[in-house]
């Protein structure tokens, strides 16, 4: 049995847990405001809000319901566009879209309204940047974004005095319906009544994180699969610091990372990296374990964490073992992982004051696109001598690659322009890119050299090595 609150109604259902939420709300609950666009997480027409208790606080994030399995929403609050409605009049968010002519055919509009409601309910500062970021997963085919931006400005104005309790604020100002006020208590009650979800048969169960890979590639198989819903397991979540180690639960999401106080202390510019990866609703549900295990040669977080020297803890429920991420990949989509082992957590040594980190990604579009080539670099420097280096690269090999030769070459050497040039020549001997839709092999070779130079330019502006890019 899956229990959750759908808008203002408590639901207990024995519907197939592998069914996606979009199909459930449309076909089982007749809530047709949630639209079916791409079914691949790209268009945002199916956006819903997911409210859940974190440290006993209720927080709302947007998600693509076309990729969210019903089993992943147990004990949560789901808000569709109907759940933002008042009885008769449009809510002020809907009204702002009408007044600013932010809607024409209307197909994308419910998704935009839900994302905008998420912005109002969030703890983000009300400003234009955060307003636009809230709808970065919503695409409109016919209106044009200027009128939608104007509607966002109106909404920002409506919530400009938002307090520390956004739920209380939006309900007391009649921006969203009053029932939101009681949701926290209802979720607390639900968690105590609920005896958890039925456990899958362990031997054959498929592990599911956020579903942003599996449901794009294998939707039909997943609906009826025997699934182990790992995103719902609290023991696989959380980002903590223990001594000099950062420990991250395998089911932590990209949003967990970019909002984590531990991470922000050591990587203050992490949000800039986050913005290069998918869109807000995908970042809210996509897990790191899913990125590692998917084994995509251009997986952004595989590249990011390879440079940080991550060590993964695999568990089969009884026995645990550790595997360095740079030894996890054995071939194209071939991993050092038994079928019944899941990624429980992973850890890395937090950088000291002499260590710097950079991530670069080149894709056909700057935002909402997968990489042609990506790369990360961690460099420790003492005086002008490199004492440690780890560089990784994606899109240049059959799997996410730790550049062992190039990294080792840099260690113990003085940081000079010549050294960087030599490193970009050496790197060519340890990669084997293929030509595909993301670029020719020659282009990818050139890109990687340029990205390595870009790391140094970003981290050491005083060196004035910009001319190396030419
Ligand atoms: C619109 C869109 C944009 C995207 N943009 C990007 C992008 O910019 N960069 C990028 O790198 N990726 C991108 N992706 C891909 C995807 O979001 C990421 O790879 C994501 O991290 C996958 O995580 P998930 O939890 O959703 O994986 P899932 O789909 O749940 O699972 C993927 C694989 O991992 C396995 N798995 C999941 N959790 C575990 C676990 N704990 N232990 C063992 N196995 C596990 C599953 O069995 C499956 O084989 C995008 C996807 C979409 C739909
Ligand atoms: S239908 Fe397009 S993102 Fe879900
Ligand atoms: S109003 Fe038609 S797609 Fe946005």
């Amino acid at each position: 049995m899956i229990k959750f609150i759908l808008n203002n109604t408590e639901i207990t259902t024995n519907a197939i847990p592998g069914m996606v939420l979009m199909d459930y709300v449309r076909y089982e609950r007749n809530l047709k405001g949630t639209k079916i666009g791409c079914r691949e997480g790209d268009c945002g027409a199916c956006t819903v809000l997911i409210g859940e208790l974190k440290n006993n606080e209720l927080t709302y994030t947007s998600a693509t319901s076309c990729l969210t399995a019903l089993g992943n929403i147990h004990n949560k609050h789901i808000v569709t566009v109907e759940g933002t409605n008042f009885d008769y009049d449009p809510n002020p968010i809907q009204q702002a879209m009408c007044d600013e002519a932010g809607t024409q055919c209307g197909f994308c509009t419910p998704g935009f309204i839900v994302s905008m409601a998420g912005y109002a309910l969030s703890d983000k500062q009300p400003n234009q940047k955060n307003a636009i970021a809230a709808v970065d997963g919503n695409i409109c085919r016919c209106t044009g974004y200027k009128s939608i931006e104007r509607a966002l400005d109106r909404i920002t104005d409506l919530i400009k005095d938002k307090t520390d309790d956004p739920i209380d604020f939006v309900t007391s100002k009649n921006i969203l319906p009053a029932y939101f006020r009681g949701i926290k208590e209802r979720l607390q009650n639900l968690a105590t009544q609920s005896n958890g979800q039925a456990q899958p048969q362990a031997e054959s169960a498929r592990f599911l994180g956020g579903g942003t890979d599996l449901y794009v590639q294998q939707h039909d198989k997943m609906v009826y699969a025997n699934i182990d819903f790992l995103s719902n397991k609290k023991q696989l979540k959380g980002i903590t610091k223990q001594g000099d180690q950062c420990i991250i639960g395998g089911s932590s999401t990209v949003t967990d990372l970019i909002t984590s106080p531990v991470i922000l202390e050591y990587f203050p510019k992490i949000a800039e990296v986050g913005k290069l990866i998918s869109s807000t609703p995908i970042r809210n549900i996509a897990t790191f374990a899913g990125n590692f295990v998917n084994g995509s040669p251009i997986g952004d977080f595989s590249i990011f964490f390879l440079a940080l020297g991550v060590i993964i803890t695999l568990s089969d429920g009884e026995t645990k073992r550790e595997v360095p991420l740079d030894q996890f990949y054995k071939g194209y989509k071939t991993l050092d992982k038994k079928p019944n082992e899941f990624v429980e957590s992973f850890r890395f040594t937090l950088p000291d004051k002499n260590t710097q980190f950079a991530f670069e990604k080149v894709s056909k579009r700057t935002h909402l696109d997968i990489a042609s080539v990506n790369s990360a670099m961690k460099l420790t420097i003492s005086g002008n001598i490199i004492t440690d280096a780890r560089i990784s690269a994606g899109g240049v090999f059959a799997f996410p690659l730790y550049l062992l030769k190039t990294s080792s070459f840099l260690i113990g050497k003085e940081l000079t322009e010549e050294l960087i040039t030599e490193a970009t020549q050496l790197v060519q001997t340890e990669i084997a890119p293929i030509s595909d839709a993301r670029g020719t092999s020659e282009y990818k070779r050139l890109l990687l050299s340029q990205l390595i130079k870009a790391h140094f330019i970003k981290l050491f502006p005083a060196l004035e090595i910009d001319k190396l890019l030419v």
Side-chain angles (χ1 to χ4, degrees), residues 394-457:
V396 291
F397 208 71
F399 50 80
L401 190 64
Y402 168 54
L403 298 166
L404 175 64
K405 237 161 80 172
T406 311
S407 303
S408 311
F409 165 76
L410 290 170
I411 298 172
K413 305 232 167 62
E414 191 181 350
L415 177 56
T416 60
E417 277 177 40
E418 293 70 36
L419 183 77
I420 298 167
T421 307
E422 280 178 59
T424 59
Q425 287 158 357
L426 181 64
V427 80
Q428 300 300 328
T429 63
E430 60 176 332
I431 60 174
I434 54 167
S435 298
D436 59 16
R438 323 277 327 152
T440 62
S441 63
E442 294 78 15
Y443 172 64
K444 292 178 187 176
R445 282 184 178 278
L446 175 65
L447 266 187
L448 180 58
S449 286
Q450 300 298 77
L451 293 190
I452 291 176
K453 290 174 195 170
H455 291 323
F456 284 100
I457 290 168

Side-chain angles (χ1 to χ4, degrees), residues 110-182:
F112 272 98
I113 299 291
V114 169
S115 294
M116 290 166 171
Y119 164 55
L121 281 164
S122 76
D123 59 6
K124 297 256 162 59
Q125 286 295 319
N127 59 40
Q128 196 181 42
K129 190 167 142 251
N130 287 336
I132 291 175
V135 298
D136 64 8
N138 297 88
I139 290 173
C140 176
R141 179 76 178 80
C142 51
T143 298
Y145 294 102
K146 280 296 155 201
S147 46
I148 296 174
E149 273 178 39
R150 284 197 303 274
L152 281 166
D153 287 344
R154 278 192 182 223
I155 296 160
T156 297
D157 196 45
L158 278 173
I159 59 170
K160 65 177 187 303
D161 300 323
K162 195 159 63 165
T163 57
D164 287 348
D165 186 346
I167 297 169
D168 180 63
F169 180 84
V170 294
T171 48
S172 57
K173 298 281 176 197
N174 287 327
I175 296 170
L176 288 173
Y179 78 84
F180 274 86
R181 245 177 265 156

Side-chain angles (χ1 to χ4, degrees), residues 202-424:
E203 313 79 58
S204 56
R206 294 206 66 178
F207 297 126
L208 182 73
T212 62
D213 275 326
L214 273 179
Y215 275 91
V216 172
Q217 290 166 30
Q218 304 180 27
H219 170 269
D220 294 350
K221 275 194 195 156
M222 289 308 294
V223 173
Y224 297 101
N226 171 29
I227 300 175
D228 197 346
F229 295 95
L230 299 182
S231 273
N232 264 355
K233 297 197 171 163
K234 286 210 170 64
Q235 63 273 31
L236 302 191
K237 303 279 267 183
I239 300 180
T240 54
K241 181 178 161 184
Q242 288 178 22
D244 66 351
Q245 297 290 296
C246 178
I247 297 158
I248 301 184
S251 290
S252 302
T253 64
V254 184
T255 299
D256 293 335
L257 186 89
I258 58 184
T259 56
S260 153
V262 176
I263 297 296
L264 283 167
E265 185 187 339
Y266 289 87
F267 302 89
K269 295 191 177 152
I270 188 75
E272 286 171 26
V273 175
K275 260 189 275 157
L276 296 176
I277 293 158
S278 59
S279 59
T280 297
I282 299 292
R283 291 195 288 271
N284 288 339
I285 55 175
T287 70
F288 297 117
N291 207 272
F292 297 161
V293 173
N294 171 269
S296 161
I298 46 167
D300 284 315
F301 277 100
S302 305
I303 297 307
F304 185 92
F305 285 115
L306 269 173
L308 286 174
V310 148
I311 296 177
I312 299 178
T313 299
L314 293 171
S315 168
D316 61 9
E318 287 175 3
T319 315
K320 295 182 191 191
R321 70 187 174 102
E322 288 200 324
V323 183
L325 186 57
D326 58 26
Q327 288 164 39
F328 189 54
Y329 299 108
K330 298 295 175 196
Y332 178 68
K333 304 251 174 187
T334 312
L335 311 172
D336 176 6
K337 185 185 98 57
K338 298 189 197 100
N340 65 342
E341 285 179 317
F342 59 89
V343 178
E344 186 179 83
S345 62
F346 56 95
R347 66 182 172 86
F348 64 93
T349 306
L350 285 159
D352 62 21
K353 64 178 181 9
N354 293 328
T355 302
Q356 306 212 49
F357 185 81
F359 175 84
E360 298 287 341
K361 169 176 178 177
V362 172
S363 37
K364 289 190 170 178
R365 289 182 307 200
T366 311
H367 296 287
L368 239 183
D369 200 0
I370 50 172
S372 295
V373 175
N374 48 8
S375 173
M377 178 173 88
K378 186 182 85 155
L379 205 81
T380 310
I381 194 146
S382 175
N384 204 23
I385 302 295
I386 297 169
T387 56
D388 195 20
R390 286 189 67 92
I391 311 182
S392 57
V396 291
F397 208 71
F399 50 80
L401 190 64
Y402 168 54
L403 298 166
L404 175 64
K405 237 161 80 172
T406 311
S407 303
S408 311
F409 165 76
L410 290 170
I411 298 172
K413 305 232 167 62
E414 191 181 350
L415 177 56
T416 60
E417 277 177 40
E418 293 70 36
L419 183 77
I420 298 167
T421 307
E422 280 178 59
T424 59

Side-chain angles (χ1 to χ4, degrees), residues 22 35-47 63-67 107 137 281-282:
M22 177 178 76
K35 300 296 177 212
I36 305 175
C38 61
R39 276 192 185 268
E40 291 197 349
D42 276 319
C43 73
C46 68
T47 307
T64 49
S65 63
C66 64
L67 303 178
F107 192 80
I282 299 292

